[in-house]
């Protein structure tokens, strides 16, 4: 029900403005400006990257099933519409805690690391507690192993497992019982291995998709709680280290940003970086999304902004091509994208 | 007055076993005398001791080539638990800095496990040359042979690696090598090797074949047997889907049992979890594909079922060899329905490239050479580009390489030879296909056998076998009611998440 709820919500908000694959890219956290952009303008930030392992085939499969169930109807050109039955399902989903927890755009990059670090940390201290220094680790990533080893080097005190226990206990107590149950069932320790995703799904009678989203949602909530009160979670707050500065700007866009701040023109930046102008435009849109202080007026005048917004309202669409056709031919795609990036400020309250 | 301990005493000191099992002492004595040895011992009887004890006793370092990383990791873990700390498994997961550090200090290890692919690295070879290598071990040595059931091209390059490393004494080990494969191993290593071939039959594993009408009946049989016996068991399948589905069905039918599935398509973390849950008695039954097998050293597996039979007898012997490693009576049950004969055939087809595949690869290679294009680096990308499975691509690329066509950083080759090369690959493909088909036929013939299955199973491998009075095979007659294995008692799981967390992290809170 969770995955379906998410897809229904996306379809409901995006309407026919994007192809169905836009939603797929959103859920799998595609690192493209388009996906982040979509998340922003359609207010679907919470779903960004919440299902990284979803395959395209499986995604289509879920959609097909919803068409069969009557939650969706299919129009031409792979367009889908949410039915009344679909809206009811969406409402059920929106009343769950998981819906409230999800916060993909902020946490999806950190989530996997947070969990993997925690899994290996608990397993390690559980073994160390009984002086067992060799065990088969549940996480075999070199990066995570290194992190846990470094952590251990700094926290070899014999009361660390106890403190870890107290922090986890405190943290998980803020969740409903079932959510804490699921989260703890996945943990491994001394001579004990946590449940696999399939086992969890079976035990809690959820589909494999739903258990994935469920665990993701819980993790987002835990990250939020820890982040809000770092002082009472001295151990757990370290699981987030290295990710605080995570913003949605790619390295390459950041380089362009640096040059921009040194007053180079876009053409100059293109030459310096040996990149096409269109690529630089992509970067500017990305910067506009990421830095709310960035002024777009320089690239698209107030008057042009109004014209673009008119076109959006008149056609009730976010489709670039439709907008472009309905504006003066002097207005470029680049300008339209910039306006879309800022739509929330320019058109407050009008997106639904 | 001599300080020299007997081999038995060394065994006792280091491993806590009071006696050698059949063949171990003979192999170890020869190894300690610096001879090259080929050792064939049955599955699960202790081939590892044959190099682990020498590794402890000899000056210098013992190198073990092993085909599976998980297998190496398990062994390292077990050895460390037995207080043998100077061991390591080298694998490509190690990051650069760590690897460098380890490479520079290789001499501090008495036992080094390494994959055949990794051993090809010039860098590693360089550092290995600088340490004193007292023994070079090839575990699962049948992988050397094209005729073996798990041929690995990199195993064929071991001879030159051994030369590079200054020709240390070699010990090759396997449980499933026919005479043909044994010859091939020796030929490929090109050394005068002493053979220690022991009968590979396992008299504590009873062999049963039951013909059924359809899959429902298979499920009924498994359910009825396992409802009487709560013992560690494996059920082998030829496909991931079947393993998953039957695992779910069985869980419904046997709610008191703890059942899970395992296959190569699962996430790494889940694979480790399931395998280790089984080792720790958290689960009783695993529905698996052949991905679960080699290196699983749980000593009290009592039943091995084959829901689908494998394509060759060697695989079958390996798979049932997971049972009864403690020496106690265990039972293998192969469930066979007529429709099943298509499955291994399908598998064979998916392992070797078809004519169309070969034409496609050839055209692409020619195009890439002409257009000076570069192949992707990722193996998966190359496979996707050619539209081949991993096994198919491994087959083709190793052959291309043999003919001097290297698919790295763009290809260079003599164009006039392309046609001939592909013709050769095709011949070889046909040869392999024929071989696999004939192996499949052997397997099917064995299944249809009306006489003693034990006698039939091992005749390809050896002249005789230990005859078994009770529980020999289904053709000699077995009475399952007489089978009374020790039942497992499930671990009591804490009831709340708080208690579970305490068990993990608070001293004295686990039983
Ligand atoms: N001399 C001995 N006495 C008692 N137990 C032994 C002895 N030698 C080995 N074992 C035990 O037998 C088990 C199987 O050993 P090992 O894993 O080496 O088998 P193997 O021959 O390599 O099997 P496979 O063919 O499946 O790889 C181990 O648990 C090992 O501890
Ligand atoms: Mg072995
Ligand atoms: Zn018999």
């Amino acid at each position: 029900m969770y995955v379906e709820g998410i897809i229904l919500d996306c379809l409901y908000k995006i309407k026919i403005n994007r192809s169905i694959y836009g939603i797929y890219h959103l859920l799998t956290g595609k690192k493209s400006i388009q996906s982040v952009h979509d998340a922003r303008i359609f207010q679907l930030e919470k779903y960004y990257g919440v299902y990284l392992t979803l395959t395209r085939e499986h995604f289509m499969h879920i959609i097909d099933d919803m068409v069969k169930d009557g939650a969706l109807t299919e129009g031409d050109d792979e367009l889908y519409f949410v039915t009344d039955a679909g809206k009811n399902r969406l409402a059920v989903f929106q009343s769950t805690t998981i819906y409230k927890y999800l916060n993909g755009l902020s946490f999806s990059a950190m989530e996997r690391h947070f969990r993997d670090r925690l899994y290996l940390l608990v397993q390690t201290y559980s073994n160390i507690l009984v002086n067992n220094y060799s065990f088969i680790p549940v996480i075999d990533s070199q990066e995570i192993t290194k992190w846990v080893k470094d952590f251990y080097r700094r926290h070899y005190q014999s009361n660390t497992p106890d403190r870890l226990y107290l922090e986890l206990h405190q943290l998980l107590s803020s969740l409903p019982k079932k959510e804490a149950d699921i989260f703890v069932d996945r943990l491994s320790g001394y001579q004990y291995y946590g449940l696999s995703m399939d086992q969890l799904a079976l035990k809690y009678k959820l589909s494999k998709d739903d258990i994935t989203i469920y665990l993701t949602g819980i993790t987002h909530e835990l990250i939020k709680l820890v982040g809000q009160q770092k002082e009472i979670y001295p151990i757990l707050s370290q699981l987030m280290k290295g990710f605080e500065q995570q913003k949605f700007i790619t390295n390459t866009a950041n380089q362009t940003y640096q040059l921009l701040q040194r007053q180079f023109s876009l053409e100059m930046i293109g030459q310096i970086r040996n990149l096409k102008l269109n690529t630089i435009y992509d970067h500017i849109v990305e910067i506009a999304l990421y830095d709310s202080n960035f002024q777009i007026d320089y690239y698209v005048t107030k008057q042009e902004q109004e014209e673009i917004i008119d076109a959006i309202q008149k056609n009730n669409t976010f489709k670039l091509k439709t907008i472009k056709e309905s504006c003066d031919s002097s207005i470029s795609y680049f300008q339209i994208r910039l306006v879309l990036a800022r739509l929330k400020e320019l058109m407050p309250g009008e997106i639904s | 007055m001599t300080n020299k301990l007997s081999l038995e005493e060394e065994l006792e000191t280091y491993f806590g076993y009071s006696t050698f099992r059949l063949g171990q002492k003979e192999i170890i004595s020869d190894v300690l005398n610096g001879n090259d040895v080929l050792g064939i011992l049955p599955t699960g009887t202790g081939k590892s001791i044959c190099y682990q004890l020498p590794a402890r006793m000899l000056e210098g370092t013992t190198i073990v080539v092993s085909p599976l990383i998980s297998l190496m990791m398990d062994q390292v873990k077990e050895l460390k638990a037995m207080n043998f700390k100077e061991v390591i498994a080298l694998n490509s997961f190690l990051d650069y800095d760590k690897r460098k550090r380890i490479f520079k200090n290789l001499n501090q290890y008495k036992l080094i496990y390494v994959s055949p692919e990794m051993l090809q690295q010039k860098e590693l070879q360089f550092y290995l040359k600088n340490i004193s290598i007292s023994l070079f071990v090839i575990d699962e040595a049948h992988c050397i042979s094209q005729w073996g059931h798990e041929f690995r091209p990199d195993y064929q390059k071991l001879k030159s690696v051994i030369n590079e490393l200054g020709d240390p004494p070699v010990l090759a080990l396997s449980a499933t090598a026919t005479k043909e494969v044994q010859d091939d191993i020796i030929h490929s290593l090109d050394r005068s090797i002493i053979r220690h071939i022991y009968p590979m039959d396992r008299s504590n594993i009873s062999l049963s074949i039951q013909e059924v009408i359809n899959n429902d009946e298979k499920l009924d049989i498994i359910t009825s047997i396992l409802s009487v016996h709560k013992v560690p068991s494996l059920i082998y399948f030829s496909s991931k889907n079947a393993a998953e589905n039957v695992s779910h069905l069985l869980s419904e039918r046997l709610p008191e049992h703890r059942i899970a599935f395992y296959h190569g398509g699962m996430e790494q973390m889940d694979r480790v979890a399931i395998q280790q849950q089984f080792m720790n008695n958290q689960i009783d039954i695993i529905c698996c594909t052949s991905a679960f097998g080699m290196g699983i050293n749980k000593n009290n597996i009592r039943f091995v079922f084959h829901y689908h039979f494998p394509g060759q007898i060697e695989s079958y012997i390996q798979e049932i060899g997971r049972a009864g490693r403690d020496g106690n009576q265990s039972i293998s049950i192969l469930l066979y329905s007529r429709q099943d004969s298509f499955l291994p055939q399908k598998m064979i087809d998916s392992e070797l490239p078809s004519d169309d595949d070969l034409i496609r690869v050839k055209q692409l290679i020619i195009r890439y050479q002409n257009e000076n294009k570069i192949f992707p680096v990722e193996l998966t990308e190359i496979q996707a580009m050619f539209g081949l499975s991993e096994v198919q691509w491994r087959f083709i690329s190793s052959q291309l390489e043999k003919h001097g066509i290297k698919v790295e950083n763009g290809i260079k080759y003599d164009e006039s030879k392309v046609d001939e090369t592909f013709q050769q690959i095709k011949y070889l493909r046909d040869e392999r296909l024929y071989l696999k088909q004939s192996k499949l036929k052997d397997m099917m013939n064995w299944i249809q056998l009306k006489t003693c299955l034990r006698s039939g199973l091992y005749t390809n491998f050896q002249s005789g076998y230990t005859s078994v009075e009770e529980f020999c095979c289904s053709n000699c007659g077995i009475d399952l009611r007489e089978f009374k294995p020790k039942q497992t008692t499930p671990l009591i799981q804490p009831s709340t998440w708080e208690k579970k967390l305490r068990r993990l992290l608070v001293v004295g809170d686990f039983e």
Side-chain angles (χ1 to χ4, degrees):
Chain A
M1 110 168 160
Y2 299 105
V3 183
E4 287 87 358
I6 291 173
I7 296 175
L8 286 170
D9 201 5
C10 291
L11 275 169
Y12 189 66
K13 292 205 174 109
I14 294 185
K15 300 214 166 62
I16 55 168
N17 288 294
R18 292 284 182 278
S19 89
I20 194 87
Y21 297 109
I23 298 177
Y24 173 73
H25 291 142
L26 181 76
L27 299 192
T28 51
K30 192 174 175 201
K31 285 197 184 53
S32 73
I33 313 158
Q34 185 71 40
S35 294
V36 179
H37 193 157
D38 282 356
R40 287 260 159 86
I41 60 175
F42 299 110
Q43 296 190 315
L44 296 167
E45 288 101 329
K46 59 176 17 206
Y47 302 134
Y48 180 83
V50 292
Y51 198 167
L52 300 176
T53 54
L54 180 65
T55 64
R56 239 177 139 99
E57 296 76 47
H58 189 57
F59 172 72
M60 285 320 292
H61 191 84
I62 298 171
I63 302 248
D64 288 344
D65 277 352
M66 285 201 286
V67 173
K68 280 191 208 115
D69 293 352
L72 292 177
T73 51
E74 190 175 358
D76 295 337
D77 297 332
E78 290 198 304
L79 288 175
Y80 296 86
F81 304 92
V82 181
T83 64
D84 284 341
K87 280 180 201 151
N88 290 337
R89 270 171 90 165
L90 176 55
V92 174
F93 166 61
Q94 283 171 331
S95 68
T96 63
T97 49
I98 299 302
Y99 169 76
K100 290 188 201 80
Y101 294 162
L102 287 173
N103 191 353
L105 200 57
S106 309
F107 296 147
S108 75
M110 183 199 297
E111 180 220 331
R112 189 66 197 246
H113 280 81
F114 182 89
R115 249 194 292 165
D116 284 354
R117 285 173 176 180
L118 181 63
Y119 291 151
L120 193 57
L121 200 66
V122 170
Q123 190 190 18
T124 304
Y125 278 107
S126 176
N127 276 282
I128 285 172
L129 195 63
V130 292
N131 292 316
N132 179 33
Y133 292 88
S134 95
F135 53 91
I136 302 217
V138 272
I139 304 291
D140 74 347
S141 136
Q142 201 53 48
E143 200 188 338
I144 304 289
T145 311
K146 185 174 179 309
W147 185 87
V148 171
K149 280 196 177 149
D150 287 347
F151 184 94
Y152 177 64
R153 218 165 284 140
R154 285 178 285 115
H155 301 81
Y156 48 82
Q157 300 86 341
S158 60
N159 68 347
T160 314
D162 233 18
R163 286 171 43 216
L164 180 58
Y165 168 78
L166 289 174
E167 283 189 32
L168 275 171
H169 187 270
Q170 160 95 12
L171 179 64
L172 293 168
S173 299
S174 16
L175 299 180
K177 180 180 163 303
K178 183 180 168 195
E179 291 168 14
D181 277 339
I182 292 186
F183 196 82
V184 172
D185 270 342
R186 184 107 168 112
L187 299 178
S188 300
Y190 174 64
Q191 291 195 344
Y192 177 85
Y193 281 78
L195 300 189
S196 70
M197 293 301 269
D198 296 295
Q199 288 175 313
L200 276 183
L202 205 67
K203 176 167 177 187
Y204 292 95
K205 301 198 167 46
L206 291 165
S207 71
K208 243 196 110 175
D209 295 321
D210 281 351
I211 196 74
T212 308
I213 301 291
Y214 205 99
L215 215 51
T216 301
I218 296 173
T219 312
H220 286 180
E221 177 69 4
L222 297 181
I223 293 175
K224 186 189 89 189
L225 293 172
V226 172
Q228 282 170 347
Q229 284 186 287
K230 291 207 168 111
E231 61 293 348
I232 64 169
Y233 298 117
I235 294 181
L236 295 179
S237 57
Q238 294 187 55
L239 299 172
M240 302 162 51
K241 280 230 175 92
F243 289 94
E244 281 115 331
Q245 282 81 31
Q246 180 84 23
K247 290 272 163 62
F248 282 84
I249 187 160
T250 52
N251 273 333
T252 174
N254 194 33
Q255 280 182 25
T256 296
Y257 197 22
Q258 306 295 328
L259 292 170
L260 203 63
Q261 281 168 341
R262 289 164 55 191
Q263 310 297 327
F264 286 108
S265 72
L266 300 192
E267 288 76 12
M268 278 295 285
I269 294 174
Q271 275 174 25
I272 294 172
R273 300 203 54 204
N274 205 3
L275 291 172
K276 289 208 188 82
L277 193 55
N278 269 329
T279 310
I280 304 295
Y281 286 159
D282 283 346
H283 295 166
I284 302 299
V285 175
E286 195 175 338
I287 293 163
L289 278 167
Y290 148 81
D291 182 355
S292 51
N293 294 321
F294 179 78
Q295 292 294 322
I296 65 167
D297 301 359
Y298 181 73
Y299 305 100
V300 41
T301 64
K302 281 267 179 317
Q303 203 183 344
E304 286 167 330
Q305 290 179 28
E306 267 165 36
E307 187 177 345
I308 294 169
I309 290 171
D310 276 349
I312 294 172
Q313 284 173 330
K314 196 166 78 215
N315 298 293
N316 190 22
T317 186
F318 292 133
K319 267 204 171 127
L320 294 177
K321 194 153 171 262
T322 318
I323 300 170
K324 171 108 169 86
E325 278 161 6
S326 130
C327 290
D328 189 277
S329 62
S330 66
I331 287 185
S332 69
Y333 277 114
F334 171 52
Q335 290 176 312
I336 298 172
R337 288 170 64 203
L338 275 177
V339 171
L340 284 174
R342 283 304 166 76
L343 210 56
K344 243 196 250 172
E345 300 152 38
L346 301 173
M347 245 169 81
E350 288 208 26
I351 313 164
S352 63
Chain B
M1 249 210 41
T2 162
N3 286 330
K4 217 167 145 56
L5 296 173
S6 71
L7 274 183
E8 276 82 3
E9 284 166 314
E10 302 271 10
L11 180 71
E12 173 91 47
T13 326
Y14 289 124
F15 295 94
Y17 303 135
S18 48
T19 53
F20 283 105
R21 287 184 174 166
L22 181 71
Q24 288 178 329
K25 189 173 183 182
E26 291 75 3
I27 292 176
I28 292 171
S29 305
D30 260 342
V31 165
L32 291 175
N33 285 330
N35 294 314
D36 293 335
V37 179
L38 169 64
I40 309 287
L41 291 177
T43 52
T45 53
K47 284 184 287 299
S48 318
I49 294 287
C50 297
Y51 58 82
Q52 287 167 350
L53 186 59
R56 296 213 87 160
M57 296 172 60
L58 290 166
E59 295 281 320
T61 304
T62 295
I63 293 179
V64 183
V65 181
S66 169
L68 283 177
I69 289 164
S70 59
L71 196 148
M72 301 193 253
M73 299 259 300
D74 284 352
Q75 296 221 356
V76 169
K77 184 203 136 195
E78 277 172 28
L79 290 171
K80 284 193 171 157
M82 279 194 276
N83 220 17
F84 188 3
K85 305 282 183 198
E86 304 99 331
V87 294
I88 190 168
L90 299 179
N91 61 62
S92 36
F93 292 133
L94 296 171
D95 65 43
Y96 180 82
D97 287 342
K98 180 124 192 257
R99 201 171 69 200
K100 218 39 192 205
R101 222 172 328 124
I102 291 173
F103 280 10
K104 285 191 176 145
N105 295 299
L106 284 176
N107 61 349
Q108 73 182 54
Y109 299 104
K110 303 278 314 162
L111 186 53
I112 298 175
Y113 286 90
V114 62
S115 69
E117 288 77 18
M118 183 123 181
L119 207 47
Q120 291 301 313
Q121 291 179 8
K122 289 280 171 272
E123 188 195 5
L124 177 58
Q125 289 185 9
F126 171 82
Y127 286 105
L128 283 176
K129 270 187 256 179
N130 284 322
I131 64 170
S132 134
I133 297 171
S134 46
L135 179 61
F136 189 99
V137 183
I138 306 169
D139 201 7
E140 312 285 352
H142 51 266
C143 295
I144 290 186
S145 167
Q146 302 218 34
W147 322 123
H149 57 117
E150 286 180 76
F151 172 53
R152 290 270 290 260
D154 280 304
Y155 261 77
Q156 289 204 326
K157 302 181 193 150
L158 290 178
K159 179 193 160 198
S160 57
V161 176
I162 295 170
N163 288 151
E164 276 292 310
L165 300 182
D167 280 311
V170 172
L171 167 63
L173 294 165
S174 172
T176 44
T178 55
K179 179 78 176 40
E180 222 178 358
V181 172
Q182 293 167 21
D183 291 345
D184 220 18
I185 294 171
I186 292 175
H187 177 77
S188 163
L189 294 172
D190 192 20
R191 307 169 81 92
S192 56
I193 290 184
I194 305 177
R195 299 186 196 220
H196 284 280
I197 314 297
Y198 290 88
M200 44 180 293
D201 51 305
R202 296 275 311 273
S203 45
N204 66 327
I205 302 177
S206 149
L207 306 169
S208 165
I209 296 178
Q210 301 189 24
E211 182 161 350
V212 298
I213 306 294
N214 53 28
N215 286 342
D216 289 342
E217 200 182 338
K218 292 182 185 172
L219 204 58
D220 289 342
I221 293 174
I222 296 173
T223 312
S224 80
I225 293 175
L226 292 180
S227 61
V228 194
H229 292 294
K230 213 162 175 194
V231 290
S233 307
L234 294 180
I235 309 174
Y236 275 102
F237 296 83
S238 67
S239 79
K240 297 170 188 166
N241 274 339
E244 286 196 18
N245 292 339
V246 172
S247 161
H248 290 146
L249 289 173
L250 272 181
S251 306
E252 283 165 20
R253 292 189 178 198
L254 296 167
E256 297 298 306
H257 287 63
R258 298 159 305 167
I259 304 169
F261 59 83
Y262 181 105
H263 55 66
M266 287 159 47
E267 268 189 58
Q268 174 68 21
M269 177 170 170
D270 286 348
R271 273 197 288 184
V272 173
I274 297 294
Q275 182 176 335
Q276 296 307 319
Q277 285 175 20
F278 192 54
M279 300 301 285
N280 285 309
N281 298 321
Q282 290 171 247
I283 42 183
D284 315 301
I285 303 169
I286 295 196
C287 298
C288 57
T289 61
S290 59
F292 194 82
M294 268 205 273
I296 304 297
N297 189 23
K298 184 176 171 64
N299 67 7
N300 60 345
I301 297 176
R302 295 278 86 95
F303 282 106
V304 174
F305 292 92
H306 277 89
Y307 191 95
H308 298 130
F309 65 89
Q312 41 186 304
I313 286 181
E314 284 101 317
S315 312
Y316 175 75
I317 290 177
Q318 275 271 7
E319 287 164 8
I320 66 168
R322 302 305 112 203
R325 290 163 89 91
D326 54 6
N328 293 334
Q329 184 63 53
S330 305
I331 297 187
S332 76
I333 299 178
L334 187 155
L335 299 166
Y336 167 73
S337 82
R338 277 175 202 253
Q339 303 92 286
D340 291 347
S341 37
F342 300 107
L343 293 168
Q345 183 62 49
K346 258 185 22 206
M347 206 124 87
I348 291 174
D349 291 341
S350 71
E351 281 171 7
L352 290 163
S354 66
D355 286 352
D356 286 347
D357 292 334
L358 287 176
I359 293 172
R360 200 172 53 243
V361 172
K362 183 171 135 187
Q363 285 170 344
L364 260 173
I365 285 185
I366 292 176
R367 211 177 79 211
Y368 268 61
Q369 156 116 326
N370 290 343
E371 296 172 9
N372 246 325
K373 284 213 275 197
I374 292 178
F375 280 103
V377 253
E378 287 290 326
L379 189 64
T380 47
E381 282 175 47
I382 296 191
Q383 283 161 220
M385 189 177 98
F386 287 122
L388 298 171
S389 72
E390 186 186 336
V391 213
Q392 288 169 332
W393 172 243
R394 235 196 268 151
F395 173 80
I396 297 185
S397 68
S398 73
Q399 290 312 312
L400 287 176
E401 218 171 284
K402 244 190 201 152
H403 288 89
I405 303 181
K406 268 209 154 192
V407 186
E408 265 166 30
N409 312 318
I411 22 176
K412 295 214 173 48
Y413 58 86
D414 181 353
E415 214 163 321
S416 63
K417 293 232 178 86
V418 174
D419 280 331
E420 201 196 311
T421 301
F422 273 85
Q423 197 58 49
Q424 297 274 355
I425 294 181
K426 201 165 148 177
Y427 288 147
L428 191 73
R429 195 271 323 264
D430 290 342
E431 208 176 274
R432 298 285 300 271
L433 206 59
Y434 175 76
L435 178 86
K436 288 196 175 223
Q437 254 142 10
S438 81
K439 291 209 167 220
L440 175 57
K441 215 180 255 148
D442 287 346
M443 181 80 211
M444 308 260 288
N445 287 340
W446 179 72
I447 292 175
Q448 312 282 359
L449 211 63
K450 297 280 176 280
T451 51
C452 177
L453 292 171
R454 187 169 299 274
S455 144
L457 188 64
Y458 296 111
T459 44
N460 275 326
F461 298 90
Q462 60 201 41
S463 49
Y465 63 94
T466 311
S467 62
V468 172
E469 291 295 312
E470 260 179 304
F471 296 113
C472 173
C473 70
S474 47
N475 287 352
C476 295
I478 20 179
D479 188 353
L480 267 184
R481 282 167 305 183
E482 294 300 309
F483 181 51
K484 298 197 174 81
K486 185 168 173 282
Q487 307 286 305
T488 40
T489 38
L491 304 167
I492 312 289
Q493 294 298 337
S495 49
T496 64
W497 70 261
E498 285 99 335
K499 285 187 186 151
K500 286 178 193 164
L501 202 57
R502 286 185 68 83
R503 176 197 44 202
L504 293 174
L505 289 169
V506 181
V507 195
D509 255 54
F510 49 87
E511 33 272 55

